[in-house]
Amino acid sequence: MGVAGGGEFKGQRITFHDSCYLGRANNIYEAPRDVLATLDADLVEMKRSRANGLCCGAGGAQMWKEAEPGNKEVNIERTEEALFTLDGNAPALAQTRGVEDGNAGATPSPRANTRGAIIAVSCPFCMTMMSDGVKNKERESDVQVFDLAELIASAEGLNA
């Protein structure tokens, strides 16, 4: 399967967030990346991916409860990692350790000549948490969050 000529995503930077349910619970890591490869996009991997991926913060119904004490929300940490990855900000990415290290507040800066980078997800909970993180970082103008199915539908011209 492939999109003729690479489609609208050809050369666009996309990073994939491994959901806990698809990844760690079902050990499915390569299939979503194979799907993204058909888009002929520039797929960039986050530091914590596949079996070492970081939860979006919604797992186990966490998205419906009040935040626990700490320096940063999990979804903000994960979103920052995605944004640093998309921005190609290696020094900031190297500093990414976890929500408990007190590294709160870093705001990734948009990469020069970014034409709408994408965080791809495969779970409705991840979609909500990553979208909220992008809004929190005020990056909605240059970064969008899409489900894999939305990306393929768009590439195939199936949008309503």
Side-chain angles (χ1 to χ4, degrees):
M1 181 177 138
V3 177
E8 66 186 274
F9 302 105
K10 184 178 179 84
Q12 200 165 5
R13 291 178 69 83
I14 299 177
T15 192
F16 179 69
H17 165 74
D18 291 289
S19 75
C20 295
Y21 296 109
L22 191 62
R24 287 189 292 276
N26 291 294
N27 202 32
I28 298 172
Y29 298 107
E30 297 311 313
R33 288 166 174 81
D34 292 343
V35 169
L36 289 170
T38 68
L39 301 176
D40 201 16
D42 179 13
L43 183 60
V44 290
E45 289 288 348
M46 285 189 260
K47 179 179 173 183
R48 293 175 283 194
S49 63
R50 295 180 172 80
N52 295 317
L54 179 66
C55 178
C56 70
Q62 297 294 307
M63 70 186 289
W64 285 291
K65 69 179 201 59
E66 293 299 318
E68 295 179 13
N71 294 323
K72 191 186 316 184
E73 296 289 328
V74 175
N75 72 312
I76 301 303
E77 173 73 15
R78 186 57 168 168
T79 301
E80 286 177 354
E81 182 175 351
L83 295 174
F84 289 143
T85 299
L86 290 168
D87 294 339
N89 190 338
L93 192 56
Q95 298 282 330
T96 305
R97 290 186 213 112
V99 296
E100 68 285 343
D101 74 355
N103 186 22
T107 300
S109 302
R111 173 187 162 112
N113 71 21
T114 299
R115 61 175 185 113
I118 293 172
I119 300 171
V121 299
S122 59
C123 164
F125 298 119
C126 297
M127 174 77 110
T128 298
M129 299 305 278
M130 299 302 284
S131 294
D132 286 352
V134 169
K135 289 175 191 168
N136 176 276
K137 293 297 172 182
E138 299 179 356
R139 294 285 301 272
E140 308 101 290
S141 65
D142 66 311
V143 177
Q144 292 180 288
V145 181
F146 287 108
D147 187 272
L148 283 173
E150 291 179 297
L151 293 171
I152 295 303
S154 180
E156 293 293 329
L158 302 174
N159 290 344

